[in-house]
Amino acid sequence: MALDIAMNEQVAPAATSHPLDPLSGAEIEKAAGIITASERATDTLRFVMISLEEPPKPATLEFDPLEVPARKAFAVTYDAAQKLVTEVVVDLDAETVESWTPVPGRFPCYLSDAMLGVEQQVKLDPRWQEAMRKRGVEDFDLVMVDPWPAGYFGPQDSYETSPTICRPLSFVRAAPGEHGYARPVEGVIVTYDMDAGRVLDVTDHGVVPLPPKAGNYSEKYEMFSPENRPAFTGFRDDLKEIVITQPNGPSFTVDGYGVTWQKWAFRVGFNPREGLVLHTLTYQDRGVERPIMYRAALSEMVVPYGDAAPTHWNKNVFDMGEVGMGMSANPLTLGCDCLGEIFYFDGVVNDSLGHAVVIPHAVCMHEEDYGIAWKHTDFRTEEVEVRRSRRLVVSMICTVGNYEYGFFWYLYTDGSIEYQVKLTGVLTTGAFTGETPKYGVAVAPGIYGPHHQHFFNVRMDMAIDGPNNSVYEIDSVVEEEELNPHHNAWYTTATLVKSEREGARDWNWETNRYWKITSDRLNELGERTAYKLEPHDVVKPFVQQGSYIYDRARFVQKPVWVTRYDPKERYAAGDYMAQSAQMQGLPVYLEDDAGLENTDVVLWYTVGTHHIVRPEDWPVMPCAYIGFQLKPVGFFDGNPALDLPPSAPDGGHCTHHEG
């Protein structure tokens, strides 16, 4: 890890290597060199992603320090000349290729640097230039060309008939550096051959005038001009500074990628596809290290659009599987993205030639005060006991074209876990004249935001008190009338998810349904220790049967999926969904109907947002927050936050200001 030193930043102590540590830059380049030197490599072979080949999960969930597994790399390569994806495993210790597995019939996600030349080549195409001139655009330097993933238009996009393609969309800045998404070029769709680096087709569905107003949000572009933002005259001058300090340093400790904080322990991972990964999450309870999750990470996301217009109907990007969240991670900034006493982990990814690319400060970790943890006032004695809550935040923020996605894991002092996605950035826009389009909302004169949804699936390899777990569906049910004379009684039922045939689960608003993951260990009350998945932001998908995206994104059709652990089953929509109409991922994982009782189970949760845009989302969106929680249920013998110390009433922590 490379860490810069600055105020409020923590510097890594001497690192202790661990089998789950992400690959270093040197290891990435070593793996690429071994593959390139192989007799099976060609001059046209390129590297899509290089990441750690994670060692087999130990039966005890802990690695024996005396039996260190070989350090290995997993590489996805693509040879455009052969139109062939290959998966290669490299033994870095032995410096050999362990396996070389062609994956015919599949397209890769985008190579990290393959998109860099798309804009230049599109602008050279005379058909595209003609379409721009029809719209009064003569200065092509003002045009932004976003290389959108192709989606799937039909059989012409399939592996049998098509190269690797993208479908770039164009936007025109009013002046150099200004907000380009404020002036979308409606109706012009480019099809671009990423294998050959050339434009295949330009389709123009008719001229729609460019929107008349700028949409700037940066001070240097006169964002407060009367024409642009008449309601504002300048920045607020009455917002007082908040300074977050921890004079004695943070409460966490870091050893390499291992973290301990307030009885929690885990390891941070990072790779080009998933980005942030949490490994071996445990909680120390009265001196015993108790496992909760072996591995947790985003497994896929998709953004289906609900607009029938030619420019928008096929927008349904799998931002992780087609682009890569690790590849899209931001270098985070102290005091802006993260606030307080910060520890940063760098992310290391690769370019298409196998060179290591360091994303400095890709993962941010810090503590936050989170209000009251618990409180009670004895009104008879006027005795008051109150404790402050604290949470540890581990996060990354990714930019994919116009959107920003923040992915946040929160660990709490009461043993709870929360996952939150923060959505911000800029809307994907369309241009219109006359009435606002039926399938969107106007956000400024001549600009609208199409209806769309975002779905994120998180894969959690559960390990509640060990590897033998079961999942129960908990419903609250009104008691039958003959047993309920006062019409107030209700109780809960627990339904075991017995096998993968039953593994796709729906939420039920009428029963306030949640899911409980139990161990094979009993607590002092004779109940199985457990955590519960508390669903938030359950969104009905508007992905409709008969559309190509329906099968491609089947994971959005159910909020909860339960599978038996299989290290090859990592992604909710499958390994390679680019330009494929086939159903992959979770529905296929369930087909073998493996048993799910008292075994190694994986929990997959899909969280979503139903985005009917607002004028307030323009020109840059305020954050939307979606997520879920995991809470202990009989895991502890009482409130685990009971031992939190009282806060000092002085020193500014509990100061009362007279009015």
Side-chain angles (χ1 to χ4, degrees):
M1 284 177 300
L3 289 167
D4 297 330
I5 302 173
M7 183 180 297
N8 298 98
E9 291 183 22
Q10 295 298 310
V11 182
T16 300
S17 61
H18 187 277
L20 294 175
D21 285 353
L23 294 182
S24 66
E27 288 177 315
I28 287 173
E29 294 187 352
K30 182 176 181 180
I34 292 169
I35 293 170
T36 302
S38 167
E39 61 183 14
R40 285 170 284 195
T42 64
D43 292 340
T44 51
L45 181 143
R46 295 292 181 267
F47 295 95
V48 182
M49 293 181 179
I50 304 174
S51 57
L52 176 70
E53 170 74 356
E54 294 179 14
K57 178 165 57 172
T60 62
L61 305 180
E62 297 180 1
F63 289 92
D64 186 341
L66 300 178
E67 297 181 9
V68 180
R71 190 80 170 153
K72 298 179 182 180
F74 174 76
V76 176
T77 69
Y78 182 64
D79 190 328
Q82 300 182 30
K83 204 167 77 168
L84 181 64
V85 171
T86 303
E87 297 177 346
V88 186
V89 176
V90 174
D91 186 324
L92 295 169
D93 295 337
E95 300 185 352
T96 59
V97 172
E98 182 176 285
S99 64
W100 188 285
T101 308
V103 187
R106 297 294 185 195
F107 289 105
C109 72
Y110 288 166
L111 278 72
S112 61
D113 41 1
M115 293 186 284
L116 299 178
V118 174
E119 181 171 301
Q120 179 182 1
Q121 292 301 316
V122 168
K123 289 181 179 181
L124 293 175
D125 188 89
R127 295 165 292 182
W128 178 88
Q129 292 179 358
E130 180 183 359
M132 294 302 108
R133 291 189 176 104
K134 285 181 179 179
R135 290 156 174 83
V137 178
E138 297 289 344
D139 186 352
F140 300 149
D141 289 339
L142 293 176
V143 182
M144 308 184 324
V145 179
D146 279 8
W148 272 68
Y152 187 84
F153 276 24
Q156 69 273 18
D157 292 344
S158 68
Y159 183 84
E160 290 73 21
T161 58
S162 174
T164 305
I165 59 173
C166 66
R167 290 196 164 92
L169 300 177
S170 302
F171 305 84
V172 184
R173 300 183 191 271
E178 289 206 7
H179 187 9
Y181 294 113
R183 303 179 77 203
V185 177
E186 192 69 26
V188 176
I189 303 171
V190 178
T191 303
Y192 185 86
D193 182 341
M194 299 189 72
D195 292 340
R198 64 189 182 94
V199 175
L200 295 176
D201 181 64
V202 177
T203 303
D204 190 343
H205 292 272
V207 174
V208 177
L210 296 174
K213 289 192 175 183
N216 294 313
Y217 50 86
S218 175
E219 182 183 19
K220 64 181 179 179
Y221 295 118
E222 298 183 355
M223 60 181 289
F224 298 126
S225 66
E227 178 182 328
N228 190 22
R229 287 285 172 267
F232 301 98
T233 58
F235 289 117
R236 304 178 191 189
D237 59 6
D238 58 351
L239 191 64
K240 305 303 182 183
E241 183 180 15
I242 293 179
V243 179
I244 308 298
T245 62
Q246 292 180 276
N248 300 319
S251 303
F252 55 74
T253 60
V254 181
D255 181 8
Y257 289 93
V259 178
T260 56
W261 175 81
Q262 291 299 297
K263 305 183 182 182
W264 290 101
F266 61 94
R267 302 196 69 83
V268 172
F270 190 91
N271 64 62
R273 182 161 179 164
E274 298 163 301
L276 174 62
V277 181
L278 297 188
H279 294 286
T280 60
L281 185 69
T282 65
Y283 192 95
Q284 188 178 85
D285 180 21
R286 292 168 291 188
V288 177
E289 201 82 12
R290 300 177 65 184
I292 296 172
M293 288 194 293
Y294 182 75
R295 190 182 194 277
L298 182 73
S299 85
E300 191 51 85
M301 63 167 290
V302 67
V303 189
Y305 277 73
D307 187 347
T311 319
H312 308 288
W313 74 267
N314 201 49
K315 289 180 177 176
N316 43 58
V317 180
F318 295 81
D319 287 317
M320 192 181 112
E322 293 180 326
V323 181
M325 300 318 296
M327 292 290 194
S328 307
N330 290 183
L332 301 178
T333 306
L334 180 69
C336 297
D337 300 298
C338 307
L339 190 64
E341 296 285 339
I342 309 298
F343 188 98
Y344 290 107
F345 297 90
D346 289 353
V348 187
V349 295
N350 61 278
D351 66 16
S352 66
L353 296 177
H355 300 135
V357 178
V358 177
I359 304 172
H361 297 182
V363 174
C364 169
M365 183 172 69
H366 66 287
E367 295 177 271
E368 290 180 348
D369 179 271
Y370 197 64
I372 295 173
W374 57 265
K375 178 178 180 175
H376 181 63
T377 300
D378 187 326
F379 69 89
R380 293 178 177 86
T381 66
E382 297 186 355
E383 182 179 340
V384 180
E385 289 287 345
V386 62
R387 300 293 186 271
R388 300 293 299 177
S389 180
R390 189 85 62 90
R391 67 182 183 182
L392 185 69
V393 186
V394 187
S395 64
M396 72 171 181
I397 300 175
C398 304
T399 299
V400 186
N402 53 295
Y403 257 103
E404 265 75 24
Y405 300 104
F407 301 98
F408 289 72
W409 285 101
Y410 298 110
L411 304 180
Y412 291 86
T413 47
D414 67 354
S416 297
I417 303 165
E418 183 179 6
Y419 185 80
Q420 188 178 75
V421 184
K422 300 181 182 181
L423 300 89
T424 181
V426 178
L427 299 170
T428 290
T429 52
F432 74 97
T433 56
E435 295 184 2
T436 302
K438 182 177 183 179
Y439 309 113
V441 175
V443 296
I447 309 173
Y448 79 103
H451 299 330
H452 60 283
Q453 297 181 303
H454 298 256
F455 293 98
F456 305 83
N457 184 274
V458 181
R459 178 186 182 272
M460 294 167 282
D461 183 356
M462 303 305 297
I464 306 297
D465 273 331
N468 295 327
N469 289 181
S470 303
V471 176
Y472 290 84
E473 195 166 77
I474 310 299
D475 291 299
S476 297
V477 181
V478 172
E479 183 58 274
E480 295 180 10
E481 187 167 353
E482 58 269 25
L483 299 176
N484 190 13
H486 305 294
H487 300 282
N488 71 315
W490 54 274
Y491 60 96
T492 62
T493 63
T495 304
L496 174 67
V497 182
K498 295 180 181 178
S499 73
E500 289 183 334
R501 189 189 306 269
E502 305 169 355
R505 312 305 299 177
D506 257 326
W507 190 64
N508 188 342
W509 180 84
E510 294 183 351
T511 64
N512 287 318
R513 178 172 291 168
Y514 65 90
W515 290 266
K516 187 163 70 172
I517 308 94
T518 68
S519 75
D520 57 359
R521 173 183 169 181
L522 301 182
N523 60 23
E524 67 175 5
L525 301 175
E527 300 286 342
R528 290 191 176 195
T529 60
Y531 264 69
K532 72 172 181 177
L533 170 65
E534 192 170 88
H536 299 170
D537 306 298
V538 179
V539 169
K540 174 182 170 57
F542 273 64
V543 174
Q544 300 158 38
Q545 282 187 293
S547 66
Y548 288 119
I549 189 62
Y550 184 83
D551 277 340
R552 299 182 72 218
R554 276 290 185 98
F555 73 88
V556 310
Q557 297 300 324
K558 303 289 183 180
V560 171
W561 301 73
V562 187
T563 64
R564 189 166 183 171
Y565 173 74
D566 184 333
K568 297 178 182 178
E569 297 175 353
R570 289 264 287 271
Y571 309 118
D575 294 348
Y576 303 102
M577 80 294 300
Q579 292 177 234
S580 173
Q582 293 178 327
M583 181 179 70
Q584 301 179 59
L586 281 166
V588 177
Y589 300 161
L590 300 184
E591 288 178 352
D592 61 355
D593 194 29
L596 295 175
E597 186 174 4
N598 200 32
T599 189
D600 195 349
V601 300
V602 177
L603 190 66
W604 313 67
Y605 184 66
T606 301
V607 62
T609 180
H610 188 71
H611 197 177
I612 301 172
V613 306
R614 311 168 296 152
E616 290 84 354
D617 288 332
W618 185 255
V620 62
M621 292 183 296
C623 272
Y625 304 88
I626 58 175
F628 63 89
Q629 286 186 295
L630 292 167
K631 292 186 175 181
V633 180
F635 187 82
F636 300 104
D637 295 330
N639 181 354
L642 200 63
D643 58 354
L644 288 173
S647 299
D650 55 3
H653 297 293
C654 301
T655 303
H656 174 69
H657 295 276
E658 297 292 341

